[in-house]
C-alpha cells in the first residue's frame, strides 16, 4: 500500500521517496504484531500514523528506525536498505520517542551534545547543530539549566530537539505532544511544519485526531497489524465515510435483541454505523433511507429522542475502519 | 479510608516479588550465612586443630600438649617434622602451629615457636597467641611463680615477610574497598534499567552505533568510575589512616582494574536478568552484601570454618581480598605473587560478561 496517489503524471511531479517500508512485519513468538506492510513517505511529507492500542504502530516505528529487528521485509531510506547498511541509514533517521528520552540530570546543551555525538557530530559542527536545535526548540535562554527544572512542555520540546539535532532526512515522532500545554503544542506543530517545508520526511503518530487532521498531508490507519487505509484526509473521508444523520435513542432502549435484528435488517438499506462507546446512538449515512429506519426502530417500541446531522471527519473514518473511536482505543493504552 | 489504604498497600506489596524477597527471604539468607560463620568459628565444642612437632618422648613437650588438649580450645595433632607444621601454616591449611624444641628454656631465649602468619589480621592472631601463651606458661611455670613469655611467633617460609606494626586499616580499607567496589555492579544494572525506562536506550539503538559498541560504551564509564572509587578509598586509607602498600603499587593498580572489570561485568549480568529498579535495589544490594560477607569483606575468612572458606572461593570478593592482602601486607610482592587471584578475577569477569551478553535483550 502506498501513501501516494498512483497516477503516473502526478507521481512524476512529486518529491522523491525518502523512506519505504517493504512487506515489513514482526512476529513475537507465535503472535504476529505487524503483518507485511508497505508504505512510502516522500520528502517534505508529514505522514500521520493512526491506530488503536495494539494496532502495531509502535512496533512499525521501532522497525522503521532500527530499534526492533523485523521478522520480514525491509526498510529503505533513500533507496538504501537499513538491514544491509545500518550505520549509513540510521545516520539519516531521527527518532522522538513517546517517553521523555532525555537525561533530566543534565542541561539541554549536554543532552543535545550527547545525542549529536551519537550521530558522529564533533567540535564546531556539533556546537553549531546544538545551537540550531536549541533555537528550534525555543530553549536557548534556558540551555544551561538542568532539564529536571523544565516545565513539561519544555521537556517535550527538548525531546523533539534531541531527535533532530543531527538534521535527519526522516524524522519519526511517537506521540510528541502527550501532556504538553497548548503553547508548547503549537511550537511543536510549527517546528514540524517548518522541517517538512525544508524537505524532511516526517512520520507522526498521535492520540489526538485533530492534530493529525491539522498537520498531516497523508494519513495511514493501522489495525490488527495491518494498514487498513492510507491517503490524504479528503480521500479517506470520500472513500470510507460520509456525513449523515445521527439518531439518539431514548434510554433504556439500546441493546434489545429485537432492535438489534431490526437495525441489522435496516442496515442493508440505510448504511448504519454504531459507536460501541455510545450504544444509544445510531448513525445513518444514507439520509434518504431515514423513513424505513425510523419505522424499524419504532416497530421495536423504541423512541428516537433526537436526530442531528453530522459531517464526516477522521474520527468517522477511524470508527468505520477499526470499529473503535480513537479516544476509546487510546484510553486503554 | 485507613482500612482501604492498608488493603491497597498490602495488595501492592504482595505483588512486588522484589520487596517480598528483601523483607522475608533475604534476612533468612543473612541469618544462615552469619550463623554458619560463627557457629563453626567460635564454637568451643569444636576445638581448633593445632599441628605440633616435638621430639618423641620429650616429657615437657608432652606436658605442654596435654595442657593444650585439656584447655578444650585446641586439638593438638603431632607431625613428623617442624617443616610439616610450617608448611601447613604457609599453605593456610591451618591458622597456627607449634614447634617445641628439645632444649626448651624460655628464660634463656629458647622459646616455643608459634608458627603463624604475622601478616594475619589481629582478629586471627590475637586470640591464638593469647590462649596458647597462657596455657603453655601455666604448664611450664612451677606453682606460685610468675609466668614468663614462652612463645616466639614466626612467619613460616613460603609466606613473604609481612610489614611490621600492621594496623586494622590495613585490613578494613581493602575489605570495604572490595565490598563497595562491587556495588558498582548495582549501579551498572540500574543504569540500564533507567535508560530503558526513560526511552534513551531506544534513542541509542536508533543511532548509527552498533549494538556491541553501544554496550561497550555503556559499560566503559563504569570501569573508569570504579577505578576512581578504589583509588579514592585506597588514597584516603593511605593519607589519613596509615595504610601502607608493602608490595608493588603497579600490581595494585592491575589488581584494581581486574576487580573493576569483574564488578562491571557482574553489573551487565544483573542487567541481563532484567527487573525493575526497585527489585534491583532490594535483591541486588542484599546479594552483593551476602557475597561480600562470604568473601571475607566483613569478617576475615581466616576465622571462618573450612566449609565457609571453601564457599567463599565461589565469589570474586575473596580472590580480590587475597590479592589486596598480599600486596598491602607482604613486603616485596608483585604481579607474579597475585597471578592466581588475577586469573580468578578475570575468569569471573569473563563468565559474568559471557552470561550478560548471552542473556541481554536489546529489544526488551
Amino acid at each position: 500500500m502506498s501513501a501516494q496517489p498512483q497516477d503516473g503524471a502526478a507521481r512524476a511531479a512529486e518529491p522523491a521517496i525518502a523512506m519505504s517500508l517493504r512487506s515489513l512485519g514482526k512476529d513475537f513468538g507465535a503472535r504476529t504484531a505487524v503483518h507485511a506492510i508497505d508504505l512510502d513517505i516522500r520528502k517534505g511529507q508529514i505522514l500521520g500514523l493512526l491506530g488503536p492500542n495494539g494496532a502495531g504502530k509502535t512496533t512499525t516505528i521501532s522497525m522503521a528506525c532500527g530499534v526492533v529487528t523485523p521478522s520480514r521485509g525491509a526498510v529503505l531510506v533513500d533507496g538504501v536498505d537499513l538491514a544491509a547498511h545500518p550505520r549509513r541509514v540510521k545516520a539519516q533517521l531521527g527518532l522522538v520517542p513517546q517517553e521523555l528520552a532525555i537525561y533530566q540530570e543534565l542541561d539541554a546543551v549536554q543532552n543535545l551534545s550527547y545525542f549529536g555525538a551519537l550521530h558522529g557530530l564533533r567540535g564546531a559542527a556539533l556546537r553549531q547543530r546544538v545551537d540550531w536545535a536549541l533555537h528550534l526548540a525555543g530553549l536557548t535562554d534556558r540551555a544551561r539549566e538542568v532539564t529536571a527544572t523544565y516545565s513539561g512542555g519544555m521537556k517535550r520540546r527538548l525531546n523533539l530537539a534531541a531527535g533532530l539535532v543531527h538534521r535527519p532526512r526522516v524524522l519519526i515522532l511517537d506521540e510528541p505532544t502527550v501532556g504538553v500545554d497548548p503553547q508548547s503544542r503549537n511550537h511543536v506543530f510549527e517546528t514540524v511544519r517548518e522541517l517538512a517545508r525544508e524537505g524532511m520526511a516526517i512520520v507522526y503518530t498521535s492520540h489526538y485526531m485533530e492534530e493529525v487532521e491539522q498537520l498531516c498531508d497523508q494519513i495511514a490507519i493501522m489495525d490488527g497489524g495491518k494498514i487498513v487505509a492510507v491517503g490524504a484526509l479528503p480521500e479517506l473521508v470520500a472513500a470510507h465515510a460520509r456525513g449523515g444523520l445521527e439518531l439518539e435513542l431514548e434510554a433504556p432502549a439500546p441493546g434489545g435483541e429485537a432492535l438489534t435484528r431490526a437495525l441489522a435488517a435496516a442496515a442493508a438499506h440505510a448504511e448504519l454505523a454504531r459507536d460501541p462507546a455510545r450504544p444509544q446512538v445510531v448513525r445513518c449515512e444514507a439520509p434518504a433511507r431515514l423513513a424505513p429506519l425510523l419505522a424499524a426502530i419504532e416497530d421495536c417500541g423504541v423512541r428516537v429522542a433526537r436526530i442531528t446531522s453530522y459531517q464526516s471527519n477522521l474520527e468517522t473514518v477511524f470508527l468505520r475502519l477499526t470499529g473503535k473511536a480513537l479516544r476509546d482505543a487510546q484510553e486503554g493504552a | 479510608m485507613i482500612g482501604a489504604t492498608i488493603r491497597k498497600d498490602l495488595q501492592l506489596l504482595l505483588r512486588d516479588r522484589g520487596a517480598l524477597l528483601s523483607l522475608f527471604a533475604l534476612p533468612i539468607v543473612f541469618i544462615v550465612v552469619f550463623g554458619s560463620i560463627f557457629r563453626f568459628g567460635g564454637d568451643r565444642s569444636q576445638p581448633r586443630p593445632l599441628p605440633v612437632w616435638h621430639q618423641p618422648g620429650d616429657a615437657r613437650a608432652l606436658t605442654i600438649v596435654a595442657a593444650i588438649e585439656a584447655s578444650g580450645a585446641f586439638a593438638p595433632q603431632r607431625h613428623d617434622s617442624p617443616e610439616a607444621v610450617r608448611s601447613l601454616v604457609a599453605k593456610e591449611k591451618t591458622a597456627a602451629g607449634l614447634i617445641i624444641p628439645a632444649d626448651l628454656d624460655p628464660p634463656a631465649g629458647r622459646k616455643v615457636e608459634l608458627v603463624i602468619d604475622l601478616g594475619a589480621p589481629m582478629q586471627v592472631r590475637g586470640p591464638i597467641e593469647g590462649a596458647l601463651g597462657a596455657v603453655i606458661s601455666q604448664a611450664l611455670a612451677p606453682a606460685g611463680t610468675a609466668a614468663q613469655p614462652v612463645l616466639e611467633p614466626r612467619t613460616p617460609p613460603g609466606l613473604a615477610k609481612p610489614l611490621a606494626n600492621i594496623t586494622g586499616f590495613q585490613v578494613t580499607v581493602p575489605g570495604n574497598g572490595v565490598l563497595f567496589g562491587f556495588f558498582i555492579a548495582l549501579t551498572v544494572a540500574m543504569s540500564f534499567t533507567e535508560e530503558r525506562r526513560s526511552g534513551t536506550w531506544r534513542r541509542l539503538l536508533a543511532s548509527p552505533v552498533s549494538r556491541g559498541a553501544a554496550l561497550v560504551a555503556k559499560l566503559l564509564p563504569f570501569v573508569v568510575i570504579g577505578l576512581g572509587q578504589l583509588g579514592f578509598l585506597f588514597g584516603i586509607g593511605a593519607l589519613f589512616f596509615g595504610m601502607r602498600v608493602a608490595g608493588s603499587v603497579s600490581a595494585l593498580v592491575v589488581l584494581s582494574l581486574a576487580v573493576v572489570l569483574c564488578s562491571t561485568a557482574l553489573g551487565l549480568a544483573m542487567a541481563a536478568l532484567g527487573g525493575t529498579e526497585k527489585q534491583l535495589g532490594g535483591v541486588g544490594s542484599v546479594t552483593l552484601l551476602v557475597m561480600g560477607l562470604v568473601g571475607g569483606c566483613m569478617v576475615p575468612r581466616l576465622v571462618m570454618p573450612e566449609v565457609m572458606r571453601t564457599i567463599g572461593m565461589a565469589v570474586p570478593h575473596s580472590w580480590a581480598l587475597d590479592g589486596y592482602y598480599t600486596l598491602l601486607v607482604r613486603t616485596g610482592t608483585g604481579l607474579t605473587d597475585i597471578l592466581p587471584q588475577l586469573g580468578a578475577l578475570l575468569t569471573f569477569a569473563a563468565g559474568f560478561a559471557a552470561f550478560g551478553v548471552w542473556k541481554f535483550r536489546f529489544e526488551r
Side-chain angles (χ1 to χ4, degrees), chain B residues 46-57:
Chain B
Q46 295 189 16
R48 185 189 289 270
L50 183 76
V52 177
W53 176 85
H54 58 79
Q55 290 283 6

PDB file of all heavy atoms in Angstrom, chain B residues 46-57:
ATOM      1  N   GLN B  46      34.015 -27.469  69.422  1.00  0.00           N
ATOM      2  CA  GLN B  46      34.816 -27.996  68.310  1.00  0.00           C
ATOM      3  C   GLN B  46      36.185 -27.344  68.353  1.00  0.00           C
ATOM      4  O   GLN B  46      36.388 -26.265  67.796  1.00  0.00           O
ATOM      5  CB  GLN B  46      34.124 -27.697  66.976  1.00  0.00           C
ATOM      6  CG  GLN B  46      32.803 -28.429  66.850  1.00  0.00           C
ATOM      7  CD  GLN B  46      32.234 -28.309  65.463  1.00  0.00           C
ATOM      8  OE1 GLN B  46      32.928 -27.937  64.528  1.00  0.00           O
ATOM      9  NE2 GLN B  46      30.973 -28.635  65.325  1.00  0.00           N
ATOM     10  N   PRO B  47      37.159 -27.967  69.050  1.00  0.00           N
ATOM     11  CA  PRO B  47      38.474 -27.347  69.193  1.00  0.00           C
ATOM     12  C   PRO B  47      39.160 -27.143  67.845  1.00  0.00           C
ATOM     13  O   PRO B  47      38.974 -27.939  66.918  1.00  0.00           O
ATOM     14  CB  PRO B  47      39.250 -28.336  70.053  1.00  0.00           C
ATOM     15  CG  PRO B  47      38.347 -29.452  70.374  1.00  0.00           C
ATOM     16  CD  PRO B  47      37.059 -29.272  69.661  1.00  0.00           C
ATOM     17  N   ARG B  48      39.924 -26.076  67.776  1.00  0.00           N
ATOM     18  CA  ARG B  48      40.647 -25.745  66.541  1.00  0.00           C
ATOM     19  C   ARG B  48      41.841 -26.701  66.378  1.00  0.00           C
ATOM     20  O   ARG B  48      42.640 -26.858  67.308  1.00  0.00           O
ATOM     21  CB  ARG B  48      41.144 -24.312  66.650  1.00  0.00           C
ATOM     22  CG  ARG B  48      41.819 -23.782  65.402  1.00  0.00           C
ATOM     23  CD  ARG B  48      42.449 -22.440  65.717  1.00  0.00           C
ATOM     24  NE  ARG B  48      41.456 -21.401  65.912  1.00  0.00           N
ATOM     25  CZ  ARG B  48      40.996 -20.633  64.938  1.00  0.00           C
ATOM     26  NH1 ARG B  48      41.435 -20.789  63.699  1.00  0.00           N
ATOM     27  NH2 ARG B  48      40.115 -19.707  65.187  1.00  0.00           N
ATOM     28  N   PRO B  49      41.994 -27.334  65.218  1.00  0.00           N
ATOM     29  CA  PRO B  49      43.143 -28.234  65.019  1.00  0.00           C
ATOM     30  C   PRO B  49      44.458 -27.454  65.131  1.00  0.00           C
ATOM     31  O   PRO B  49      44.555 -26.336  64.637  1.00  0.00           O
ATOM     32  CB  PRO B  49      42.939 -28.770  63.591  1.00  0.00           C
ATOM     33  CG  PRO B  49      41.514 -28.486  63.259  1.00  0.00           C
ATOM     34  CD  PRO B  49      41.117 -27.280  64.043  1.00  0.00           C
ATOM     35  N   LEU B  50      45.454 -28.059  65.792  1.00  0.00           N
ATOM     36  CA  LEU B  50      46.735 -27.370  66.007  1.00  0.00           C
ATOM     37  C   LEU B  50      47.880 -28.344  65.720  1.00  0.00           C
ATOM     38  O   LEU B  50      48.148 -29.240  66.521  1.00  0.00           O
ATOM     39  CB  LEU B  50      46.820 -26.867  67.453  1.00  0.00           C
ATOM     40  CG  LEU B  50      48.082 -26.073  67.786  1.00  0.00           C
ATOM     41  CD1 LEU B  50      47.999 -24.671  67.201  1.00  0.00           C
ATOM     42  CD2 LEU B  50      48.273 -25.993  69.304  1.00  0.00           C
ATOM     43  N   PRO B  51      48.524 -28.192  64.561  1.00  0.00           N
ATOM     44  CA  PRO B  51      49.667 -29.083  64.287  1.00  0.00           C
ATOM     45  C   PRO B  51      50.824 -28.771  65.235  1.00  0.00           C
ATOM     46  O   PRO B  51      51.107 -27.606  65.509  1.00  0.00           O
ATOM     47  CB  PRO B  51      50.027 -28.760  62.831  1.00  0.00           C
ATOM     48  CG  PRO B  51      49.442 -27.420  62.557  1.00  0.00           C
ATOM     49  CD  PRO B  51      48.271 -27.249  63.459  1.00  0.00           C
ATOM     50  N   VAL B  52      51.460 -29.837  65.733  1.00  0.00           N
ATOM     51  CA  VAL B  52      52.530 -29.688  66.732  1.00  0.00           C
ATOM     52  C   VAL B  52      53.686 -30.621  66.360  1.00  0.00           C
ATOM     53  O   VAL B  52      53.477 -31.729  65.861  1.00  0.00           O
ATOM     54  CB  VAL B  52      52.005 -30.073  68.144  1.00  0.00           C
ATOM     55  CG1 VAL B  52      53.123 -29.990  69.173  1.00  0.00           C
ATOM     56  CG2 VAL B  52      50.852 -29.181  68.561  1.00  0.00           C
ATOM     57  N   TRP B  53      54.910 -30.134  66.593  1.00  0.00           N
ATOM     58  CA  TRP B  53      56.065 -31.033  66.495  1.00  0.00           C
ATOM     59  C   TRP B  53      56.872 -30.927  67.771  1.00  0.00           C
ATOM     60  O   TRP B  53      57.069 -29.835  68.321  1.00  0.00           O
ATOM     61  CB  TRP B  53      56.961 -30.665  65.309  1.00  0.00           C
ATOM     62  CG  TRP B  53      58.193 -31.550  65.286  1.00  0.00           C
ATOM     63  CD1 TRP B  53      58.312 -32.790  64.733  1.00  0.00           C
ATOM     64  CD2 TRP B  53      59.451 -31.271  65.900  1.00  0.00           C
ATOM     65  NE1 TRP B  53      59.541 -33.316  64.956  1.00  0.00           N
ATOM     66  CE2 TRP B  53      60.291 -32.403  65.674  1.00  0.00           C
ATOM     67  CE3 TRP B  53      59.955 -30.215  66.643  1.00  0.00           C
ATOM     68  CZ2 TRP B  53      61.602 -32.489  66.145  1.00  0.00           C
ATOM     69  CZ3 TRP B  53      61.275 -30.299  67.109  1.00  0.00           C
ATOM     70  CH2 TRP B  53      62.080 -31.424  66.845  1.00  0.00           C
ATOM     71  N   HIS B  54      57.340 -32.088  68.242  1.00  0.00           N
ATOM     72  CA  HIS B  54      58.318 -32.127  69.332  1.00  0.00           C
ATOM     73  C   HIS B  54      59.060 -33.457  69.234  1.00  0.00           C
ATOM     74  O   HIS B  54      58.618 -34.392  68.535  1.00  0.00           O
ATOM     75  CB  HIS B  54      57.636 -31.974  70.705  1.00  0.00           C
ATOM     76  CG  HIS B  54      56.604 -33.024  70.988  1.00  0.00           C
ATOM     77  ND1 HIS B  54      56.896 -34.296  71.407  1.00  0.00           N
ATOM     78  CD2 HIS B  54      55.236 -32.974  70.868  1.00  0.00           C
ATOM     79  CE1 HIS B  54      55.769 -34.997  71.553  1.00  0.00           C
ATOM     80  NE2 HIS B  54      54.742 -34.196  71.214  1.00  0.00           N
ATOM     81  N   GLN B  55      60.185 -33.525  69.915  1.00  0.00           N
ATOM     82  CA  GLN B  55      60.965 -34.768  69.910  1.00  0.00           C
ATOM     83  C   GLN B  55      60.136 -35.873  70.566  1.00  0.00           C
ATOM     84  O   GLN B  55      59.469 -35.622  71.584  1.00  0.00           O
ATOM     85  CB  GLN B  55      62.267 -34.583  70.715  1.00  0.00           C
ATOM     86  CG  GLN B  55      63.286 -33.669  70.066  1.00  0.00           C
ATOM     87  CD  GLN B  55      64.028 -34.348  68.921  1.00  0.00           C
ATOM     88  OE1 GLN B  55      63.705 -35.487  68.525  1.00  0.00           O
ATOM     89  NE2 GLN B  55      65.035 -33.676  68.376  1.00  0.00           N
ATOM     90  N   PRO B  56      60.209 -37.098  70.005  1.00  0.00           N
ATOM     91  CA  PRO B  56      59.465 -38.183  70.654  1.00  0.00           C
ATOM     92  C   PRO B  56      59.970 -38.381  72.093  1.00  0.00           C
ATOM     93  O   PRO B  56      61.171 -38.337  72.340  1.00  0.00           O
ATOM     94  CB  PRO B  56      59.786 -39.402  69.783  1.00  0.00           C
ATOM     95  CG  PRO B  56      60.266 -38.848  68.484  1.00  0.00           C
ATOM     96  CD  PRO B  56      60.894 -37.529  68.785  1.00  0.00           C
ATOM     97  N   GLY B  57      59.021 -38.525  72.982  1.00  0.00           N
ATOM     98  CA  GLY B  57      59.373 -38.816  74.378  1.00  0.00           C
ATOM     99  C   GLY B  57      59.777 -37.601  75.179  1.00  0.00           C
ATOM    100  O   GLY B  57      60.147 -37.723  76.352  1.00  0.00           O
TER     101      GLY B  57
END
